[in-house]
Amino acid sequence: MAAHDSTGIKESALPLGAAALMRLLPARPRLLALGEPTHGEDELLLLRNDLFRQLIEDEGYRAVAMESDCLRGLVVDAYVTGGAGTLDDVMERGFSHGFGASAANRDLVRWMRAYNEHRPAPEQVRFAGFDGPLEITGAESPRQALTALHGYLAARVDPALLPCTEDTLDELLGADARWTEPEAMTDPSRSPGRSERAVALRVLADELTSLLATQTPQLLPAGSREDWHRARLHARTAVGLLRYHHGMADPAPSRMTRLLGVRDAMMADNLLALADRGPTLVFAHNSHLQRHRSSMRIWDHPLLEWWSAGALAAAHLGEEYAFVAMALGTLRHQGVDTPPPDTLEGRLYELPDHRTLIDPAHLTTALAAATLARRESPWFGYAPLDPGHVTDWQGVVFVKDVPRVPVA
C-alpha cells in the first residue's frame, strides 16, 4: 500500500487538556459529553478523571453524570456532598452495571467528596446517574420510584387530590420478583408490563406526575428545591420504567428497537433536567452520546437502530450540547491489535503521543481526499468510530494503547 501524507493528521492533534478542549467549542456548553468506545477499561476512566477535574476546577462545571442507575446515583450524590457512610458502601450501592468495582470510579468519588469538603453547597460538585434502573437483561420494579413520588406528594398536598393511597400502589405492584423476572427479556409472555395491574399503575403514575407539575407553586415553598428535584426524578423514572415494562411485554418484531429507544429517552430526560440546573459533565458509551442514530446487533436480532440520548438532548439544546468521542488504537488483552492504516483509528495511530485531543475540523480537512473504511473489531465489547461522522463531533480523544489495568 502506498504511503500517505500524515502532516494534516498531525496538525489536527492538540495536547489533551481542558483548556485545549474548550478552545474547540464556541462557548461553554450546558452538557459536555465525553464518550468511551468500550466499558470497563480503567485506563480510559483515569483519563476521564483527569479531564473532568480540570473542567471542574478551571471551567466551572458543577455536576458529573454517568451511565449508571439514576436512583442509585442519589446514594453517591449524598456521599460526595458530605453525607454519612463509607466509600465501600457507596461504591457497592451507588452504581449499576458493575461500575462500582472500578478503581477509577472509586478515585473519582473520593476526589469529589474531598473537593466539596470545605465548600458551600452552591459551589459543590454534584453526582448523578442518568441511566434508568435498567440492565441489558432486565429492569427494576417501579416500586421505589412510585412510592417515593407518592410519599413526597402525600406529605405536601391535600389528600383529596391524590389519585390513590400507598396501599393501593402496594397492591397493584405486587411482588417485585414479577417485575424483575430474568426470562422476561427474551420471552415477552413472562413480563407483567401489559397486565391489568400494570396498565392501572401507568395511569396512576401519570396522575401523580401531573399532580407534581400542577402543584409546583405550593410544593416549592413547602419544602426544599432539592426535594422537588428529587420528586421530579422519581416521577420521570416511574413513568419511564412502566413504559419500558410495557415494551418488554410486546411480542412484536420491533420490541428490542423500542426498548433501546425508551432507555435512551429516559437518559435524555435526565440529562435535560441536569442541564436546567447547571453546566454538567457527562460520561457514557459513545453510542449513548453521539448525535447520529445508534445501532447494534443483539442476540439473534437483525441490526437495531435508535436515536441516542445525545441525539435527543442535542435536538433540544443545539450548541449547548457538545459531544467528544473517544477512540483507541489497541486493546490487546481483548484481541484488538494495531488498527489497519485505511481506518480512522489507523491514521490516528501514527500520532506520537499516547493521549491526544483531535480537532475534528482540521481532521475533516486532512481526510478530505482519503477513503477510509470503518474498523472491524474482533471483540464485541469495543465499538470503533465511523469515519463518516467526524463532523458530528466537537472533539476526539485518542488513546494509542490501552493496557490491562487491574480492577480493584
Side-chain angles (χ1 to χ4, degrees):
M1 180 179 295
H4 54 263
D5 183 8
S6 61
T7 303
I9 298 290
K10 291 178 180 177
E11 289 178 350
S12 71
L14 305 167
L16 179 59
L21 174 57
M22 296 306 290
R23 285 195 293 271
L24 297 180
L25 309 174
R28 185 182 70 176
R30 281 197 276 167
L31 291 179
L32 177 50
L34 175 65
E36 62 176 347
T38 183
H39 286 319
E41 297 297 331
D42 267 13
E43 165 83 3
L44 305 182
L45 303 188
L46 290 169
L47 179 157
R48 171 207 64 191
N49 290 357
D50 289 342
L51 189 57
F52 278 13
R53 287 169 186 156
Q54 294 174 42
L55 289 163
I56 289 166
E57 291 174 340
D58 301 335
E59 302 297 338
Y61 280 90
R62 288 293 174 263
V64 172
M66 288 177 52
E67 182 189 341
S68 184
D69 182 334
C70 57
L71 300 186
R72 289 184 177 225
L74 296 173
V75 174
V76 184
D77 185 59
Y79 179 77
V80 301
T81 53
T86 67
L87 182 57
D88 285 343
D89 180 60
V90 168
M91 299 309 296
E92 180 178 351
R93 296 191 301 114
F95 290 88
S96 58
H97 312 330
F99 294 156
S102 161
N105 285 339
R106 186 183 186 90
D107 285 347
L108 179 62
V109 172
R110 183 191 293 113
W111 180 84
M112 290 176 69
R113 182 177 171 98
Y115 180 89
N116 288 336
E117 189 173 3
H118 300 298
R119 286 178 165 82
E123 297 178 14
Q124 291 185 341
V125 179
R126 308 297 298 268
F127 179 92
F130 72 95
D131 201 353
L134 309 168
E135 296 281 357
I136 194 65
T137 54
E140 292 293 330
S141 163
R143 178 182 301 279
Q144 180 183 355
L146 268 176
T147 55
L149 173 60
H150 185 276
Y152 172 83
L153 292 168
R156 293 168 175 82
V157 303
D158 182 346
L161 296 176
L162 292 168
C164 64
T165 65
E166 186 176 350
D167 288 342
T168 300
L169 283 181
D170 187 62
E171 180 182 350
L172 290 172
L173 285 162
D176 287 345
R178 62 193 287 267
W179 296 97
T180 58
E181 163 62 55
E183 301 297 325
M185 180 51 73
T186 54
D187 182 357
S189 67
R190 302 294 293 272
S191 170
R194 298 197 173 194
S195 64
E196 289 185 8
R197 290 184 177 185
V199 172
L201 284 169
R202 291 189 76 185
V203 173
L204 291 177
D206 181 71
E207 290 294 317
L208 290 168
T209 299
S210 176
L211 185 60
L212 176 65
T214 59
Q215 297 301 306
T216 292
Q218 174 185 329
L219 293 169
L220 284 175
S224 73
R225 183 169 288 270
E226 194 61 42
D227 289 341
W228 178 74
H229 280 300
R230 191 175 298 113
R232 294 180 70 207
L233 171 63
H234 285 129
R236 292 193 302 273
T237 306
V239 171
L241 268 176
L242 287 164
R243 185 179 293 135
Y244 193 89
H245 281 289
H246 183 83
M248 287 181 68
D250 184 2
S254 60
R255 174 177 181 264
M256 285 307 302
T257 299
R258 180 182 180 188
L259 291 178
L260 292 167
V262 169
R263 180 189 178 192
D264 270 70
M266 291 176 69
M267 288 182 169
D269 286 344
N270 286 332
L271 288 178
L272 292 170
L274 289 167
D276 284 343
R277 301 188 65 178
T280 300
L281 300 169
V282 184
F283 186 76
H285 197 279
N286 285 330
S287 63
H288 290 303
L289 300 178
Q290 62 199 20
R291 278 183 163 83
H292 50 276
R293 287 176 72 84
S294 297
S295 63
M296 70 179 296
R297 296 188 186 277
I298 184 169
W299 303 316
D300 58 347
H301 290 269
L303 185 69
L304 305 173
E305 293 187 322
W306 74 101
W307 288 109
S308 73
L312 296 170
H316 289 271
L317 297 177
E319 287 190 349
E320 291 193 286
Y321 176 84
F323 169 53
V324 178
M326 194 185 301
L328 57 86
T330 70
L331 191 65
R332 290 192 170 90
H333 60 274
Q334 297 291 4
V336 181
D337 290 319
T338 305
D342 64 341
T343 64
L344 177 59
E345 288 86 351
R347 293 293 181 89
L348 296 177
Y349 198 75
E350 300 170 5
L351 297 171
D353 294 333
H354 176 55
R355 297 175 173 182
T356 311
L357 176 65
I358 307 297
D359 179 347
H362 281 90
L363 185 63
T364 300
T365 301
L367 298 176
T371 300
L372 297 180
R374 183 166 183 170
R375 185 182 189 184
E376 296 292 333
S377 173
W379 178 54
F380 75 95
Y382 160 61
L385 294 181
D386 187 333
H389 294 143
V390 173
T391 55
D392 291 332
W393 311 324
Q394 281 63 63
V396 180
V397 172
F398 184 70
V399 181
K400 196 163 188 177
D401 299 293
V402 181
R404 178 189 292 274
V405 177
V407 174

